[in-house]
Amino acid sequence: MKRVVVIGAGMAGARVAEELRQGQPDPALLAVTVLGSEPEAPYNRIMLSHAVAGGPAGGPAPTARLKPQGWWARNHIRLRTATPVRCIDRVTREVELADGERIAYDHLVLATGAAPRVPPIEGILAPDGALKPGVSTLRDAADARGLTAHLSAHPGPVALIGGGFIGLEVACALAAAGHDVVVVHPRAWPMNGCLDAAGGAVLVRALGALGVRVVTGARATRWDGSVLTLGDDDEVDCRTVVLTAGSGPRTELARAAGLEVGHGVVVDDTLATSDRAISAIGDCAQHRGVVSGLVAPAWDQAVTVAARLTGADPDARYTGGTTVTRLKAFGLDVVALGEVAEDVFADGPGGASGADGPGAAPEITTICEPARGRYARVDVSCGRVVGAILVGHPEPVGILTQVYENALPVPDDVLSVILGRAEAVAAPTPSTMPAAAVICRCNGVSKGDLVAAWGDGARDRSALVERTRAGTGCGGCTSAVDGICGWLREAG
């Protein structure tokens, strides 16, 4: 029997356990143990921002569970919640739990995730170093419960520190629930890691229309329980402060065990650490110098590790993946694909241009409608989409995502694609898209997963959703799920 122990019961840890059991169904040949520090079974963290605004309970709703009740036991995966790990003994190949119990492993997978960053703001920490009442992060279910309870007792203005992906999702959810919301962001525009200046400006205007005020180029310096002071002595009234200023990989266990650690736990293309008996995936892993921080790469890494450990593909490698970031908030849709070039208008109002060859500047097409809260930009190089930004432009999201992820050619008239004219591009259909194409990013459901569920008896849309959980996240994949369901029905 090979014993695989996974430290971390988040979305990456849960996925690698699932892939391991799928690759080797016999528990007598492969024992899988998942150790999670939280009391909850694995759940969809992406939905925490919606949970905070959704009701007094907070935390993950039953629909946010990654697997239905009893699934782990039925699949012979030993899931231990509320089980923090104290240290790793690489000599004996054991992990020691907080209560002193030791668990042996033949291979260890680190899926420890990331911890929220706490910016240096005077007045937010208690003498013991904990966050003061009224100050919260939003990384796990406990954070969600605490924040929900505080907002119920103190329904006044809310300030969010950081205008990234998570910060804006929380801000929009709270604004939709009737809270007065201000986002304080140190950069010139929110989501500056994904958007260009024009897209950021349109986003600020769109957020304002939803009741979210954004203060850019400012840092919070002090909070006295009711007033947040900014660096320029501007003040923001707020009884609640939510810290959404990014996160950092949890590397404490790996570092203490003597593994190579950079920004994250350093891994190679096999996802192995400096100890070949230990792998790392997800938010804690640094691959080719990059810590992705996104769910889709973590799941791809989980598939690679499981394929190697079960023997399904001993030569499996993870070489990186496409970057797709989607903000699906209340009344706001923002998508960023790949990387866009800098200095859009460096060559004049028409955008950058040049010879269409390797290393040449991409052809850039933009549509900007600030009054309507809409902005679109597509960068094309060698006939392929290399980057795109869509703010308030949901029509072409599906086509552009598939074209980008599958490196499909785009027509010369890129504007027609932005305007949602599907016939202008050879977009993949349910019958032509690859089985590995991800349909539901919130739950990591591929076309192949839907086809397999259909073959197992889930013969309508509701059954497919129940079996795979596709569409139970942000809802952005609903039309794609419907399309595949229709295709499967017609195929008989």
Side-chain angles (χ1 to χ4, degrees), residues 146-356:
L147 178 56
T148 301
H150 179 80
L151 289 171
S152 179
H154 305 87
V158 181
L160 290 102
I161 311 301
F165 175 81
I166 298 299
L168 296 188
E169 278 209 338
V170 177
C172 290
L174 293 178
H179 294 276
D180 182 7
V181 179
V182 178
V183 175
V184 179
H185 191 63
R187 305 298 183 183
W189 61 85
M191 292 188 70
N192 54 281
C194 303
L195 308 184
D196 60 5
V202 173
L203 176 58
V204 169
R205 186 162 181 166
L207 288 167
L210 296 175
V212 177
R213 182 165 72 94
V214 181
V215 179
T216 57
R219 294 182 182 274
T221 58
R222 183 175 182 275
W223 184 63
D224 64 5
S226 60
V227 175
L228 184 71
T229 302
L230 308 185
D232 56 2
D233 293 330
D234 190 12
E235 295 183 340
V236 174
D237 292 332
C238 59
R239 297 291 301 276
T240 305
V241 176
V242 185
L243 306 178
T244 53
S247 60
R250 294 184 186 272
T251 60
E252 298 85 358
L253 283 174
R255 192 182 299 277
L259 299 177
E260 182 182 356
V261 174
H263 180 49
V265 184
V266 177
V267 296
D268 59 17
D269 286 359
T270 69
L271 283 312
T273 66
S274 52
D275 182 335
R276 303 300 298 180
I278 302 177
S279 300
I281 62 173
D283 291 356
C284 72
Q286 178 180 322
H287 174 259
R288 296 190 179 185
V290 176
V291 177
S292 82
L294 299 174
V295 173
W299 278 330
D300 290 342
Q301 293 169 1
V303 170
T304 299
V305 169
R308 294 181 62 84
L309 293 179
T310 61
D313 183 1
D315 297 321
R317 296 288 190 278
Y318 175 78
T319 57
T322 55
T323 302
V324 180
T325 303
R326 184 164 193 176
L327 170 67
K328 185 71 174 180
F330 291 89
L332 182 62
D333 200 317
V334 180
V335 176
L337 310 176
E339 296 184 5
V340 296
E342 298 180 1
D343 299 325
V344 183
F345 300 111
D347 298 329
S353 62
D356 192 20

Side-chain angles (χ1 to χ4, degrees), residues 11 15 18-19 22 44 46 65-67 295-296 299-300 303 402 405 433-454 461 463-473 477-478 480-481 484 488:
M11 298 176 78
R15 183 59 179 265
E18 178 185 1
E19 294 291 335
Q22 184 174 356
N44 185 348
I46 297 172
R65 295 188 188 124
L66 293 180
K67 294 298 177 185
V295 173
W299 278 330
D300 290 342
V303 170
Q402 293 295 335
E405 290 190 317
M433 70 173 59
V438 178
I439 305 302
C440 175
R441 290 189 167 274
C442 292
N443 292 293
V445 182
S446 67
K447 173 194 168 182
D449 294 328
L450 292 170
V451 172
W454 183 275
R461 184 184 183 282
L464 281 176
V465 170
E466 182 178 358
R467 183 73 61 85
T468 67
R469 309 190 74 76
T472 60
C477 65
T478 300
V481 174
I484 290 176
L488 289 168

Side-chain angles (χ1 to χ4, degrees), residues 392-408:
H393 260 287
E395 303 88 356
V397 168
I399 291 176
L400 277 176
T401 300
Q402 293 295 335
V403 166
Y404 166 68
E405 290 190 317
N406 295 288
L408 299 175

